[in-house]
Amino acid sequence: MKDWPLWEVFIRSKQGLNHIHAGSLHAADAEMAIENARDVYTRRNEGISIWVVESKHVKASNPEDQGALFDPADNKIYRHPTFYVLPDELKHM
Amino acid sequence: MTKKEALLKYTLRLADNASILGHRLGEWCGHGPVLEQDIAMTNIALDLIGQARNYYQYAAKLEAAGKTEDDYAYLRDPLDYYNLLLLEQPNGNFAHSIVRQYFFDIFHYLFLTALMSSKDKQLAAIAEKSIKEVTYHKKWSGDWILRLGDGTELSNEKMQTAINVLQTYVGELFLMDEVDEMMVKENIGVDLAPIKEEWTRIVQEHFTEAKLKLPDATWTQKGGKQGYHSEHLGYILADMQYLQRTYPGAVW
C-alpha cells in the first residue's frame, strides 16, 4: 500500500458550480480514488460530483517564476471593474 | 407468542445486527490499513449505528414500557441480544473483516429490498432509508473481494482462509424460526428462502470472478437470533456497556 499513487480530488458542491480542489489522497487506482474521495471529502454533504486525477499529471508553475508570472498584474488596477457606478437595481455584484 | 411479541423480537434482531456489526467496524477506528480505508470503515459503522437507532426507537414504541433506545443498547445481557453470530465474529485481519462485511452486505441488501414492501409501515420506511447506504456498503466490500481475491497469491490465500472460517456462520442468515414465520404470514417479515437462493447466486458469481471459492455448506453455526452467542459477544458488550453499567444514567 506504500506504493499507492497520490491523487488530487476535486469536488463540485452544487449544480452549476465548478469542481474545486478539496485535497489529495492515496489509492491503488482511479476507481478506488473516487470511493476514497467520497469517504474522505463528502461525509458532510459537501458534494454532488467528484473528479480525481493522479497528482503526477498535474503540471505546476515554478515558485521561482512567481515574480515574472504574477507581479506584473500588481499595478494594473484598471483591470478590476471598480470604476463603474452600479445602478441601484443591480444586486449581487 | 403474540403477534406483538414477535414483531418486537423481529425488530430487535434487525437492531442488534446493525448495532453489533457497527461496533465491530468501529473497532477499526485508528487501526485501518490506510487512512482512507479507516474512514471508509468508520463511515459504514456510523451508517449501521444510525440504522440500529431507528430500529431501537421503534422497539421502544412497540414495547411501550417506558424504555428508550439506550436501554436496549446498554442494559441488555448477551442472552437478550439477537444478532446473527456472523456479525459478532472478531475483526481478525483485514480479509476477515472484508469477508464478514461482504457476506452480510449482500444479505442485508436483498433483505432490505424485500422489507421495503413490508406491511409494517415503520419497518418499510427504515428499510427504504437504509437501502442507499447498504448499496454503497456492498459496493465497497465487493470491490475489496475482487481486489484481494484476484490480487497476489498471498492476498488470495488470506481471503480464502477468511471465507473458509466465516462460511460456517452463513447458514444462520437464512434460518427461519417461529418469529420469522409469524412475521412472513403477517406480510411484515421477509421470506428467507428466496434470499438464500439469490445470495448464493450473487456470491458464487462474484467469487468466480475474484478467483475465490465458496465452500459447500454442509453445516452451520446457529443460535444468535435466539440469544445463544459465541464467547465474543460478552466482550463486545463489556466494552460497549461499561460506562452505563458503571455510572448508571450518565449523560453528556
Side-chain angles (χ1 to χ4, degrees), chain A residues 5-27:
Chain A
L6 191 67
W7 299 77
E8 300 301 325
V9 178
F10 300 83
I11 307 278
R12 160 181 280 169
S13 57
K14 273 203 300 206
Q15 210 61 265
L17 294 184
N18 297 328
H19 285 76
I20 292 175
H21 188 236
S24 53
L25 48 75
H26 288 94

PDB file of all heavy atoms in Angstrom, chain A residues 5-27:
ATOM      1  N   PRO A   5      -0.311   5.375  -5.616  1.00  0.00           N
ATOM      2  CA  PRO A   5      -0.055   6.753  -6.035  1.00  0.00           C
ATOM      3  C   PRO A   5      -0.950   7.773  -5.329  1.00  0.00           C
ATOM      4  O   PRO A   5      -1.967   7.420  -4.735  1.00  0.00           O
ATOM      5  CB  PRO A   5      -0.359   6.725  -7.535  1.00  0.00           C
ATOM      6  CG  PRO A   5      -1.213   5.545  -7.757  1.00  0.00           C
ATOM      7  CD  PRO A   5      -0.893   4.556  -6.674  1.00  0.00           C
ATOM      8  N   LEU A   6      -0.529   9.005  -5.432  1.00  0.00           N
ATOM      9  CA  LEU A   6      -1.274  10.120  -4.848  1.00  0.00           C
ATOM     10  C   LEU A   6      -2.255  10.665  -5.885  1.00  0.00           C
ATOM     11  O   LEU A   6      -1.932  10.733  -7.077  1.00  0.00           O
ATOM     12  CB  LEU A   6      -0.282  11.202  -4.422  1.00  0.00           C
ATOM     13  CG  LEU A   6      -0.818  12.343  -3.562  1.00  0.00           C
ATOM     14  CD1 LEU A   6      -1.229  11.821  -2.177  1.00  0.00           C
ATOM     15  CD2 LEU A   6       0.240  13.434  -3.396  1.00  0.00           C
ATOM     16  N   TRP A   7      -3.429  11.036  -5.435  1.00  0.00           N
ATOM     17  CA  TRP A   7      -4.471  11.573  -6.318  1.00  0.00           C
ATOM     18  C   TRP A   7      -4.938  12.921  -5.802  1.00  0.00           C
ATOM     19  O   TRP A   7      -5.041  13.125  -4.598  1.00  0.00           O
ATOM     20  CB  TRP A   7      -5.678  10.621  -6.380  1.00  0.00           C
ATOM     21  CG  TRP A   7      -5.334   9.277  -6.916  1.00  0.00           C
ATOM     22  CD1 TRP A   7      -4.683   8.272  -6.241  1.00  0.00           C
ATOM     23  CD2 TRP A   7      -5.578   8.779  -8.229  1.00  0.00           C
ATOM     24  NE1 TRP A   7      -4.521   7.184  -7.061  1.00  0.00           N
ATOM     25  CE2 TRP A   7      -5.057   7.456  -8.280  1.00  0.00           C
ATOM     26  CE3 TRP A   7      -6.187   9.311  -9.372  1.00  0.00           C
ATOM     27  CZ2 TRP A   7      -5.134   6.678  -9.432  1.00  0.00           C
ATOM     28  CZ3 TRP A   7      -6.273   8.530 -10.508  1.00  0.00           C
ATOM     29  CH2 TRP A   7      -5.739   7.230 -10.538  1.00  0.00           C
ATOM     30  N   GLU A   8      -5.235  13.828  -6.741  1.00  0.00           N
ATOM     31  CA  GLU A   8      -5.827  15.117  -6.367  1.00  0.00           C
ATOM     32  C   GLU A   8      -7.336  15.000  -6.533  1.00  0.00           C
ATOM     33  O   GLU A   8      -7.823  14.439  -7.520  1.00  0.00           O
ATOM     34  CB  GLU A   8      -5.287  16.242  -7.256  1.00  0.00           C
ATOM     35  CG  GLU A   8      -3.775  16.430  -7.173  1.00  0.00           C
ATOM     36  CD  GLU A   8      -3.275  16.743  -5.774  1.00  0.00           C
ATOM     37  OE1 GLU A   8      -3.978  17.439  -5.023  1.00  0.00           O
ATOM     38  OE2 GLU A   8      -2.172  16.258  -5.422  1.00  0.00           O
ATOM     39  N   VAL A   9      -8.054  15.546  -5.570  1.00  0.00           N
ATOM     40  CA  VAL A   9      -9.511  15.394  -5.557  1.00  0.00           C
ATOM     41  C   VAL A   9     -10.192  16.742  -5.776  1.00  0.00           C
ATOM     42  O   VAL A   9      -9.839  17.738  -5.137  1.00  0.00           O
ATOM     43  CB  VAL A   9      -9.975  14.818  -4.202  1.00  0.00           C
ATOM     44  CG1 VAL A   9     -11.483  14.706  -4.159  1.00  0.00           C
ATOM     45  CG2 VAL A   9      -9.308  13.473  -3.951  1.00  0.00           C
ATOM     46  N   PHE A  10     -11.158  16.754  -6.691  1.00  0.00           N
ATOM     47  CA  PHE A  10     -11.934  17.964  -6.982  1.00  0.00           C
ATOM     48  C   PHE A  10     -13.406  17.665  -6.749  1.00  0.00           C
ATOM     49  O   PHE A  10     -13.928  16.674  -7.244  1.00  0.00           O
ATOM     50  CB  PHE A  10     -11.718  18.398  -8.440  1.00  0.00           C
ATOM     51  CG  PHE A  10     -10.279  18.702  -8.755  1.00  0.00           C
ATOM     52  CD1 PHE A  10      -9.389  17.679  -9.077  1.00  0.00           C
ATOM     53  CD2 PHE A  10      -9.809  20.001  -8.702  1.00  0.00           C
ATOM     54  CE1 PHE A  10      -8.058  17.947  -9.353  1.00  0.00           C
ATOM     55  CE2 PHE A  10      -8.470  20.282  -8.974  1.00  0.00           C
ATOM     56  CZ  PHE A  10      -7.597  19.259  -9.300  1.00  0.00           C
ATOM     57  N   ILE A  11     -14.045  18.530  -5.981  1.00  0.00           N
ATOM     58  CA  ILE A  11     -15.446  18.304  -5.615  1.00  0.00           C
ATOM     59  C   ILE A  11     -16.320  19.435  -6.148  1.00  0.00           C
ATOM     60  O   ILE A  11     -15.973  20.610  -6.005  1.00  0.00           O
ATOM     61  CB  ILE A  11     -15.612  18.274  -4.072  1.00  0.00           C
ATOM     62  CG1 ILE A  11     -14.650  17.273  -3.433  1.00  0.00           C
ATOM     63  CG2 ILE A  11     -17.066  18.018  -3.683  1.00  0.00           C
ATOM     64  CD1 ILE A  11     -15.085  15.854  -3.443  1.00  0.00           C
ATOM     65  N   ARG A  12     -17.435  19.081  -6.763  1.00  0.00           N
ATOM     66  CA  ARG A  12     -18.446  20.087  -7.128  1.00  0.00           C
ATOM     67  C   ARG A  12     -19.501  20.055  -6.036  1.00  0.00           C
ATOM     68  O   ARG A  12     -20.078  19.018  -5.741  1.00  0.00           O
ATOM     69  CB  ARG A  12     -19.070  19.734  -8.474  1.00  0.00           C
ATOM     70  CG  ARG A  12     -20.415  20.415  -8.712  1.00  0.00           C
ATOM     71  CD  ARG A  12     -21.003  20.038 -10.033  1.00  0.00           C
ATOM     72  NE  ARG A  12     -20.385  20.817 -11.106  1.00  0.00           N
ATOM     73  CZ  ARG A  12     -20.545  20.560 -12.391  1.00  0.00           C
ATOM     74  NH1 ARG A  12     -21.278  19.539 -12.768  1.00  0.00           N
ATOM     75  NH2 ARG A  12     -19.980  21.317 -13.305  1.00  0.00           N
ATOM     76  N   SER A  13     -19.744  21.205  -5.430  1.00  0.00           N
ATOM     77  CA  SER A  13     -20.642  21.220  -4.279  1.00  0.00           C
ATOM     78  C   SER A  13     -22.101  21.371  -4.699  1.00  0.00           C
ATOM     79  O   SER A  13     -22.989  20.889  -4.020  1.00  0.00           O
ATOM     80  CB  SER A  13     -20.262  22.340  -3.319  1.00  0.00           C
ATOM     81  OG  SER A  13     -20.292  23.570  -3.998  1.00  0.00           O
ATOM     82  N   LYS A  14     -22.324  22.058  -5.816  1.00  0.00           N
ATOM     83  CA  LYS A  14     -23.702  22.270  -6.254  1.00  0.00           C
ATOM     84  C   LYS A  14     -23.737  22.270  -7.771  1.00  0.00           C
ATOM     85  O   LYS A  14     -22.755  22.646  -8.421  1.00  0.00           O
ATOM     86  CB  LYS A  14     -24.230  23.639  -5.774  1.00  0.00           C
ATOM     87  CG  LYS A  14     -24.833  23.634  -4.404  1.00  0.00           C
ATOM     88  CD  LYS A  14     -25.819  24.780  -4.193  1.00  0.00           C
ATOM     89  CE  LYS A  14     -25.199  26.151  -4.352  1.00  0.00           C
ATOM     90  NZ  LYS A  14     -25.913  27.189  -3.604  1.00  0.00           N
ATOM     91  N   GLN A  15     -24.877  21.920  -8.330  1.00  0.00           N
ATOM     92  CA  GLN A  15     -25.059  22.005  -9.776  1.00  0.00           C
ATOM     93  C   GLN A  15     -24.742  23.427 -10.232  1.00  0.00           C
ATOM     94  O   GLN A  15     -25.158  24.390  -9.615  1.00  0.00           O
ATOM     95  CB  GLN A  15     -26.522  21.673 -10.101  1.00  0.00           C
ATOM     96  CG  GLN A  15     -26.733  21.041 -11.445  1.00  0.00           C
ATOM     97  CD  GLN A  15     -26.008  19.710 -11.615  1.00  0.00           C
ATOM     98  OE1 GLN A  15     -24.914  19.661 -12.142  1.00  0.00           O
ATOM     99  NE2 GLN A  15     -26.613  18.637 -11.162  1.00  0.00           N
ATOM    100  N   GLY A  16     -23.960  23.567 -11.295  1.00  0.00           N
ATOM    101  CA  GLY A  16     -23.672  24.897 -11.821  1.00  0.00           C
ATOM    102  C   GLY A  16     -22.385  25.499 -11.293  1.00  0.00           C
ATOM    103  O   GLY A  16     -21.866  26.441 -11.868  1.00  0.00           O
ATOM    104  N   LEU A  17     -21.875  24.970 -10.186  1.00  0.00           N
ATOM    105  CA  LEU A  17     -20.602  25.482  -9.669  1.00  0.00           C
ATOM    106  C   LEU A  17     -19.448  24.651 -10.220  1.00  0.00           C
ATOM    107  O   LEU A  17     -19.629  23.547 -10.710  1.00  0.00           O
ATOM    108  CB  LEU A  17     -20.583  25.431  -8.141  1.00  0.00           C
ATOM    109  CG  LEU A  17     -21.583  26.347  -7.418  1.00  0.00           C
ATOM    110  CD1 LEU A  17     -21.389  26.257  -5.915  1.00  0.00           C
ATOM    111  CD2 LEU A  17     -21.428  27.794  -7.878  1.00  0.00           C
ATOM    112  N   ASN A  18     -18.252  25.201 -10.133  1.00  0.00           N
ATOM    113  CA  ASN A  18     -17.078  24.480 -10.619  1.00  0.00           C
ATOM    114  C   ASN A  18     -16.644  23.398  -9.640  1.00  0.00           C
ATOM    115  O   ASN A  18     -16.907  23.488  -8.450  1.00  0.00           O
ATOM    116  CB  ASN A  18     -15.895  25.446 -10.768  1.00  0.00           C
ATOM    117  CG  ASN A  18     -16.174  26.510 -11.791  1.00  0.00           C
ATOM    118  OD1 ASN A  18     -16.878  26.269 -12.770  1.00  0.00           O
ATOM    119  ND2 ASN A  18     -15.640  27.688 -11.561  1.00  0.00           N
ATOM    120  N   HIS A  19     -15.941  22.423 -10.176  1.00  0.00           N
ATOM    121  CA  HIS A  19     -15.239  21.496  -9.294  1.00  0.00           C
ATOM    122  C   HIS A  19     -14.083  22.265  -8.650  1.00  0.00           C
ATOM    123  O   HIS A  19     -13.347  22.962  -9.337  1.00  0.00           O
ATOM    124  CB  HIS A  19     -14.685  20.311 -10.076  1.00  0.00           C
ATOM    125  CG  HIS A  19     -15.736  19.314 -10.490  1.00  0.00           C
ATOM    126  ND1 HIS A  19     -16.601  19.538 -11.533  1.00  0.00           N
ATOM    127  CD2 HIS A  19     -16.053  18.101  -9.994  1.00  0.00           C
ATOM    128  CE1 HIS A  19     -17.410  18.502 -11.657  1.00  0.00           C
ATOM    129  NE2 HIS A  19     -17.104  17.606 -10.745  1.00  0.00           N
ATOM    130  N   ILE A  20     -13.941  22.118  -7.349  1.00  0.00           N
ATOM    131  CA  ILE A  20     -12.889  22.847  -6.638  1.00  0.00           C
ATOM    132  C   ILE A  20     -11.975  21.846  -5.931  1.00  0.00           C
ATOM    133  O   ILE A  20     -12.445  20.823  -5.409  1.00  0.00           O
ATOM    134  CB  ILE A  20     -13.519  23.823  -5.616  1.00  0.00           C
ATOM    135  CG1 ILE A  20     -14.244  24.937  -6.382  1.00  0.00           C
ATOM    136  CG2 ILE A  20     -12.461  24.426  -4.687  1.00  0.00           C
ATOM    137  CD1 ILE A  20     -15.002  25.890  -5.515  1.00  0.00           C
ATOM    138  N   HIS A  21     -10.691  22.143  -5.953  1.00  0.00           N
ATOM    139  CA  HIS A  21      -9.732  21.244  -5.320  1.00  0.00           C
ATOM    140  C   HIS A  21     -10.029  21.096  -3.840  1.00  0.00           C
ATOM    141  O   HIS A  21     -10.152  22.080  -3.122  1.00  0.00           O
ATOM    142  CB  HIS A  21      -8.312  21.799  -5.508  1.00  0.00           C
ATOM    143  CG  HIS A  21      -7.270  20.843  -5.047  1.00  0.00           C
ATOM    144  ND1 HIS A  21      -6.322  21.174  -4.114  1.00  0.00           N
ATOM    145  CD2 HIS A  21      -7.039  19.552  -5.379  1.00  0.00           C
ATOM    146  CE1 HIS A  21      -5.535  20.130  -3.908  1.00  0.00           C
ATOM    147  NE2 HIS A  21      -5.945  19.134  -4.663  1.00  0.00           N
ATOM    148  N   ALA A  22     -10.187  19.832  -3.392  1.00  0.00           N
ATOM    149  CA  ALA A  22     -10.541  19.595  -1.990  1.00  0.00           C
ATOM    150  C   ALA A  22      -9.341  19.091  -1.194  1.00  0.00           C
ATOM    151  O   ALA A  22      -9.245  19.320   0.006  1.00  0.00           O
ATOM    152  CB  ALA A  22     -11.679  18.584  -1.901  1.00  0.00           C
ATOM    153  N   GLY A  23      -8.429  18.403  -1.870  1.00  0.00           N
ATOM    154  CA  GLY A  23      -7.285  17.844  -1.164  1.00  0.00           C
ATOM    155  C   GLY A  23      -6.737  16.679  -1.961  1.00  0.00           C
ATOM    156  O   GLY A  23      -7.031  16.532  -3.143  1.00  0.00           O
ATOM    157  N   SER A  24      -5.934  15.845  -1.306  1.00  0.00           N
ATOM    158  CA  SER A  24      -5.362  14.709  -2.012  1.00  0.00           C
ATOM    159  C   SER A  24      -5.433  13.465  -1.135  1.00  0.00           C
ATOM    160  O   SER A  24      -5.665  13.551   0.070  1.00  0.00           O
ATOM    161  CB  SER A  24      -3.924  15.010  -2.410  1.00  0.00           C
ATOM    162  OG  SER A  24      -3.202  15.430  -1.271  1.00  0.00           O
ATOM    163  N   LEU A  25      -5.281  12.316  -1.756  1.00  0.00           N
ATOM    164  CA  LEU A  25      -5.317  11.059  -1.008  1.00  0.00           C
ATOM    165  C   LEU A  25      -4.594   9.968  -1.789  1.00  0.00           C
ATOM    166  O   LEU A  25      -4.257  10.147  -2.958  1.00  0.00           O
ATOM    167  CB  LEU A  25      -6.762  10.642  -0.742  1.00  0.00           C
ATOM    168  CG  LEU A  25      -7.769  10.670  -1.890  1.00  0.00           C
ATOM    169  CD1 LEU A  25      -7.584   9.518  -2.843  1.00  0.00           C
ATOM    170  CD2 LEU A  25      -9.176  10.642  -1.317  1.00  0.00           C
ATOM    171  N   HIS A  26      -4.377   8.827  -1.133  1.00  0.00           N
ATOM    172  CA  HIS A  26      -3.740   7.692  -1.792  1.00  0.00           C
ATOM    173  C   HIS A  26      -4.794   6.665  -2.198  1.00  0.00           C
ATOM    174  O   HIS A  26      -5.758   6.445  -1.476  1.00  0.00           O
ATOM    175  CB  HIS A  26      -2.719   7.030  -0.863  1.00  0.00           C
ATOM    176  CG  HIS A  26      -1.480   7.848  -0.670  1.00  0.00           C
ATOM    177  ND1 HIS A  26      -1.331   8.717   0.380  1.00  0.00           N
ATOM    178  CD2 HIS A  26      -0.349   7.942  -1.413  1.00  0.00           C
ATOM    179  CE1 HIS A  26      -0.149   9.314   0.283  1.00  0.00           C
ATOM    180  NE2 HIS A  26       0.462   8.869  -0.799  1.00  0.00           N
ATOM    181  N   ALA A  27      -4.575   6.053  -3.354  1.00  0.00           N
ATOM    182  CA  ALA A  27      -5.467   4.979  -3.800  1.00  0.00           C
ATOM    183  C   ALA A  27      -4.744   4.161  -4.859  1.00  0.00           C
ATOM    184  O   ALA A  27      -3.851   4.661  -5.547  1.00  0.00           O
ATOM    185  CB  ALA A  27      -6.762   5.555  -4.370  1.00  0.00           C
TER     186      ALA A  27
END
